[in-house]
Amino acid sequence: MAENYGKVYLVGSGPGDPELLTLKARRLNDTAEVIIYDQLPGKVILSSMPDSAEKIDAGKFAGKHTLTQNKINEAIVQQAKEGKMVVRLKGGDPYVFGRGGEEAEALVQEGIEFEIVPGITSAISVPAYAGIPVTHRESTSMVTFITGHEDPTKEESGLNWDALAKFEGTIVILMGVKMLRRNAEELIKNGKDSETPVALIERGTRPDQRVTVGTLASIADLAEERGVKAPAITVVGDVVRLHDILGEQLTGTEF
Ligand code: SAH
C-alpha cells in the first residue's frame, strides 16, 4: 500500500428510511473528505451529507453501462490516490447487485486500502416494510435474489428461467420494472403457475412507498395501469399473501 494513499469505504446506505442507515455508515459519512454517491440512497440520506465533504455524483459519469462503471472506479481510485478519506455511498448493500465487488477489485488492483460497510439490502427490507417476510415457516424456507434487468452488454440471458420456474422458494427481483412482462412470461412459459402471487413495491421504506399486488399473469398489466416506476422490488411467491395480513409499515420522514 502506498503510504500517502487515502482509504476508501464502500458504504451501504440501506433502502431509504434514514433510520436504517447503520451507525458506522453515519459516522463515516460525517467524517468523509469526499463522498462519491449514487441517487439510490434517496433524498433524505443524500441531503444529510455534511457540508465539509466534497460531493461527487457518480451519476454524472452516466453513459454506456460498462464505460460508466470504469469511470466511477477511476474517480474513486483518483480521489484515494490524492490521499483523501473517501466514502463511496451506495443504496442498500454495496455487494448486492451494487457493483461494489467491481469497485473493491479496482481498489485492490491499485493497492488502495478499503473497507466494506454492509448496508440493509432493499431485497429483504423493502418486502418487510410491505408486510412480506421473504421466508415463512409455513410457506417457504428458500429465497433467491435475481436481477430482472441484466447487463445490456451481455449477449445471452444469464438467468436460467427453467430452474427459476421450478424453484419453490420466494423469488425477489431487483431492477425488474423494465423487463417485468418478459420476466413474468418467462416464468409462466417455463412452467410456473400463472396464479402465483406477485407484489411490486416501489420506493420501499420511504413515505411514498406503494405496493401493487397481482399474479404472474396480471402483474405486468397492473404495473402499466398504475405507472409503476423504478426503484421497485418484485416479489414472486406465496409469501406475498402475507401482505394482506401483515399490512404495510410506513415511515414518517417526509421528503
Ligand atoms: N445494492 C442495492 C441494490 C442495487 S440495484 C441493495 O442492496 O438494495 C437497484 C435496485 O434495487 C432497484 O432497481 C430496485 O430493484 C432496488 N431498490 C433499491 N432501493 C429500493 C427501494 N427503496 N424500493 C424499492 N426498490 C429498491
Side-chain angles (χ1 to χ4, degrees), residues 19 23 27 33 60 66 100 119 122 132 153 161 172 177-178 182 221 223 226 231 245:
E19 289 190 303
L23 295 174
R27 173 174 63 78
E33 288 174 278
K60 80 175 185 191
T66 38
S122 63
I132 304 170
T153 57
W161 290 107
V172 178
V177 176
K178 236 191 201 157
R182 182 207 70 176
D221 286 341
R226 290 168 60 103
I245 301 163

Side-chain angles (χ1 to χ4, degrees), residues 63-174:
K64 222 171 136 245
H65 220 56
T66 38
L67 212 68
T68 307
Q69 188 58 48
N70 288 340
K71 284 194 184 144
I72 296 171
N73 294 353
E74 277 166 25
I76 303 169
V77 165
Q78 186 204 328
Q79 293 295 327
K81 283 189 171 171
E82 289 174 18
K84 295 176 195 155
M85 189 273 215
V86 183
V87 162
R88 169 68 175 117
L89 187 65
K90 305 168 79 72
D93 181 275
Y95 280 178
V96 178
F97 297 124
R99 309 195 73 168
E102 289 160 70
E103 293 173 6
E105 280 175 315
L107 293 167
V108 170
Q109 244 171 34
E110 297 285 338
I112 294 164
E113 200 187 342
F114 81 97
E115 255 184 59
I116 180 85
V117 181
I120 295 183
T121 181
S122 63
I124 295 172
S125 59
V126 166
Y129 268 48
I132 304 170
V134 292
T135 69
H136 189 282
R137 220 177 122 82
E138 272 150 36
S139 44
T140 181
S141 48
M142 289 188 287
V143 58
T144 188
F145 304 103
I146 68 170
T147 164
H149 183 72
E150 293 178 274
D151 185 339
T153 57
K154 258 197 213 164
E155 286 186 5
E156 272 174 44
S157 172
L159 292 171
N160 183 339
W161 290 107
D162 176 47
L164 281 168
K166 290 195 180 82
F167 181 66
E168 287 170 3
T170 307
I171 303 175
V172 178
I173 309 175
L174 284 83

Side-chain angles (χ1 to χ4, degrees), residues 119-248:
I120 295 183
T121 181
S122 63
I124 295 172
S125 59
V126 166
Y129 268 48
I132 304 170
V134 292
T135 69
H136 189 282
R137 220 177 122 82
E138 272 150 36
S139 44
T140 181
S141 48
M142 289 188 287
V143 58
T144 188
F145 304 103
I146 68 170
T147 164
H149 183 72
E150 293 178 274
D151 185 339
T153 57
K154 258 197 213 164
E155 286 186 5
E156 272 174 44
S157 172
L159 292 171
N160 183 339
W161 290 107
D162 176 47
L164 281 168
K166 290 195 180 82
F167 181 66
E168 287 170 3
T170 307
I171 303 175
V172 178
I173 309 175
L174 284 83
M175 296 174 279
V177 176
K178 236 191 201 157
M179 305 298 273
L180 180 64
R181 189 175 296 278
R182 182 207 70 176
N183 294 348
E185 279 170 6
E186 285 285 357
L187 286 171
I188 295 171
K189 205 168 75 189
N190 283 280
K192 195 145 187 89
D193 184 353
S194 61
E195 290 308 303
T196 308
V198 182
L200 267 173
I201 310 138
E202 299 167 85
R203 302 175 295 276
T205 82
R206 304 175 191 196
D208 55 348
Q209 157 179 309
R210 181 169 70 157
V211 184
T212 302
V213 176
T215 62
L216 269 183
S218 69
I219 198 71
D221 286 341
L222 278 173
E224 237 173 69
E225 273 165 36
R226 290 168 60 103
V228 168
K229 285 206 248 1
I233 292 278
T234 313
V235 187
V236 181
D238 282 338
V239 287
V240 168
R241 297 185 210 280
L242 290 156
H243 166 73
D244 285 343
I245 301 163
L246 304 179
E248 254 176 83

Side-chain angles (χ1 to χ4, degrees), residues 43-62:
K43 281 185 222 144
V44 173
I45 288 170
L46 294 179
S47 63
S48 72
M49 293 189 292
D51 292 338
S52 53
E54 183 191 337
K55 268 92 80 196
I56 300 175
D57 180 356
K60 80 175 185 191
F61 304 115

